[in-house]
């Protein structure tokens, strides 16, 4: 019998599963895709390591977690206050997933969650029904809304109102001689950020540079046109050695993460039944990313805390 079901195998869902694993709980994680990580994906090509997500992030506060995952030595400094994983951000996803021994259902979509007696029910789109003592929904708002329509309709209605920005991440690898000394260009509403690194591990050698640019309002733009838009805007005449264009529709919540957003998230969570948690970047109290730089701490801690809350709920039920 499953103690906990975690729906969603992105960073927050894996952090929750990792904590459940550490505490010896019986759990199953369900992921709609054939891989974990959500929008976090990394790819290596001709010596450049590119990320579909933000490759630079604020240093993680939980150094013990990095040590336990064997990642502490894989961190490289990108800026004065930012770092990155030498093997790409997906190495964090891989390290968490490797330590999970609980059940996992891949390529499984959840259509709805409900309740039957003192157990929660999970209805999969293939018709299979699961049950659990506690639920952790690690889903973007629009998917969480669909899953919760029966169990928590008021919360689902508010979640359905969340809206997202549209930002493509365009990653380009160059030889330094082909770029100006400072490839900063002009940042504006259409090009909100630019991040670069020449750290070994991310580029073939110190003569090369990896650049990632945000391109807004371009969700329907083909990859080649997105690359041309970036290079023309910044005046880069040479062809990049490598190029990658990535889009994750739920990556950028259209919110300024102010007090109103925090109150909105609190109000939604208050409408959930005891034993149900909602986690993920949409529900962060501070922006998960600022100027293209990620903050991973809150998402990780949110997942681990949800696991502890779920187990405390199950323990209280047994008394």
């Amino acid at each position: 019998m499953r103690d906990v079901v975690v729906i969603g195998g992105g960073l927050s869902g894996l952090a929750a599963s990792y904590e459940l694993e550490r505490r010896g709980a019986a759990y199953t994680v369900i992921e709609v895709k054939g891989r974990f990580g959500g929008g976090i994906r990394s790819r290596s090509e001709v010596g450049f390591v590119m990320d579909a997500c933000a490759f630079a992030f604020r240093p993680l506060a939980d150094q013990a977690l990095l040590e336990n995952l064997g990642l502490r030595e894989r961190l490289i400094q990108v800026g004065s206050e930012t770092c990155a994983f030498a093997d790409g951000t997906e190495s964090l996803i891989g390290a968490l997933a490797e330590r999970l021994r609980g059940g996992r259902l891949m390529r499984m979509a959840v259509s709805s969650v409900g309740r039957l007696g003192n157990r929660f029910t999970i209805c999969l789109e293939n018709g299979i029904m699961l049950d659990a003592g506690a639920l952790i929904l690690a889903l973007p708002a629009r998917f969480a809304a669909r899953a919760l329509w029966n169990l928590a309709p008021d919360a689902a209605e508010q979640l359905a109102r969340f809206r997202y920005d549209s930002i493509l991440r365009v990653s380009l690898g160059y030889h330094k001689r082909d770029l100006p000394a400072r490839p900063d260009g002009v940042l504006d509403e259409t090009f909100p950020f630019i991040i670069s690194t020449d750290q070994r591990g991310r580029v073939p050698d110190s003569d090369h540079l990896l650049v990632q640019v945000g391109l807004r309002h371009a969700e329907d733009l083909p990859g080649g046109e997105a690359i041309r838009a970036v290079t023309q805007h910044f005046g880069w005449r040479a062809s990049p050695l490598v190029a990658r264009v990535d889009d994750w529709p739920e990556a950028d919540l259209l919110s300024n993460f102010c007090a109103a957003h925090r109150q909105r998230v609190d109000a939604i969570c208050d409408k959930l039944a005891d034993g149900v948690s909602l986690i993920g970047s949409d529900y962060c109290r501070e922006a998960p990313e600022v100027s293209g730089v990620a903050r991973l701490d809150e998402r990780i801690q949110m997942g681990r805390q949800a696991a502890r809350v779920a187990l405390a709920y199950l323990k209280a039920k047994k008394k």
Side-chain angles (χ1 to χ4, degrees):
M1 183 176 290
R2 302 173 188 83
D3 290 335
V4 186
V5 166
V6 180
I7 304 174
L11 176 58
S12 299
L14 289 181
S17 301
Y18 174 79
E19 188 67 18
L20 292 169
E21 180 73 37
R22 288 183 65 250
R23 293 173 180 265
Y27 69 92
T28 296
V29 57
I30 303 173
E31 169 54 41
V32 70
K33 297 184 180 299
R35 51 172 292 279
F36 288 129
I40 298 179
R41 303 187 303 279
S42 305
R43 185 182 75 188
S44 179
E45 187 175 343
V46 295
F48 292 91
V49 178
M50 298 173 286
D51 279 300
C53 58
F55 76 81
F57 53 88
R58 303 294 182 192
L60 296 178
D62 192 348
Q63 292 296 303
L65 174 65
L66 290 175
E67 193 72 42
N68 291 338
L69 294 177
L71 293 175
R72 195 166 185 173
E73 301 304 317
R74 302 306 298 158
L75 284 179
I76 58 175
Q77 203 72 24
V78 175
S80 59
E81 298 181 354
T82 57
C83 54
F85 289 110
D87 307 309
T89 311
E90 193 173 354
S91 60
L92 173 59
I93 298 300
L96 287 167
E98 284 174 4
R99 284 153 179 81
L100 303 184
R101 300 293 180 264
R104 60 178 71 182
L105 294 174
M106 309 300 291
R107 299 187 185 277
M108 289 289 184
V110 172
S111 59
S112 65
V113 296
R115 192 159 199 163
L116 186 62
N118 65 349
R119 301 283 290 178
F120 293 102
T121 58
I122 305 98
C123 183
L124 304 179
E125 288 191 343
N126 63 1
I128 293 176
M129 183 80 74
L130 306 178
D131 70 305
L135 289 177
I136 298 175
L137 275 67
L139 298 171
R142 68 188 183 100
F143 297 114
R146 186 178 69 169
L148 286 166
W149 277 120
N150 293 325
L151 183 65
D154 291 341
E157 184 177 355
Q158 293 188 45
L159 288 165
R161 297 174 188 163
F162 278 50
R163 294 293 179 266
Y164 298 89
D165 203 350
S166 169
I167 296 181
L168 299 183
R169 289 182 179 271
V170 181
S171 300
L172 305 168
Y174 281 98
H175 198 288
K176 284 183 178 178
R177 64 172 178 255
D178 295 328
L179 292 176
R182 287 183 55 82
D184 294 334
V186 179
L187 298 180
D188 55 24
E189 173 69 16
T190 304
F191 300 90
F193 65 82
I194 177 172
I195 308 169
S196 62
T197 183
D198 62 356
Q199 289 292 325
R200 289 189 65 86
R202 279 296 184 147
V203 297
D205 55 50
S206 59
D207 292 328
H208 293 82
L209 192 72
L210 174 65
V211 183
Q212 188 182 77
V213 178
L215 176 57
R216 183 176 271 126
H217 310 309
E219 64 271 24
D220 296 323
L221 199 64
E225 292 184 27
I227 293 168
R228 281 193 293 275
V230 169
T231 56
Q232 290 176 7
H233 177 80
F234 290 96
W236 302 337
R237 299 181 182 279
S239 297
L241 300 173
V242 293
R244 172 175 176 152
V245 179
D246 291 285
D247 174 34
W248 181 251
E250 293 81 31
D252 298 282
L253 183 66
L254 199 59
S255 172
N256 59 6
F257 290 85
C258 61
H261 172 75
R262 292 190 288 272
Q263 292 169 3
R264 184 183 185 190
V265 171
D266 288 341
I268 291 171
C269 291
D270 287 344
K271 296 179 185 299
L272 300 177
D274 291 342
V276 180
S277 294
L278 187 61
I279 61 174
S281 58
D282 284 4
Y283 322 110
C284 286
R285 268 52 180 178
E286 62 177 355
E289 294 181 8
V290 178
S291 299
V293 176
R295 292 176 174 145
L296 303 180
D297 271 331
E298 187 175 359
R299 281 174 272 180
I300 294 171
Q301 293 307 316
M302 190 186 301
R304 300 186 74 177
Q305 177 63 16
R308 293 190 284 265
V309 168
L311 295 180
Y313 166 78
L314 293 173
K315 183 178 180 179
K317 280 179 58 179
K318 292 179 180 179
K319 292 183 178 180

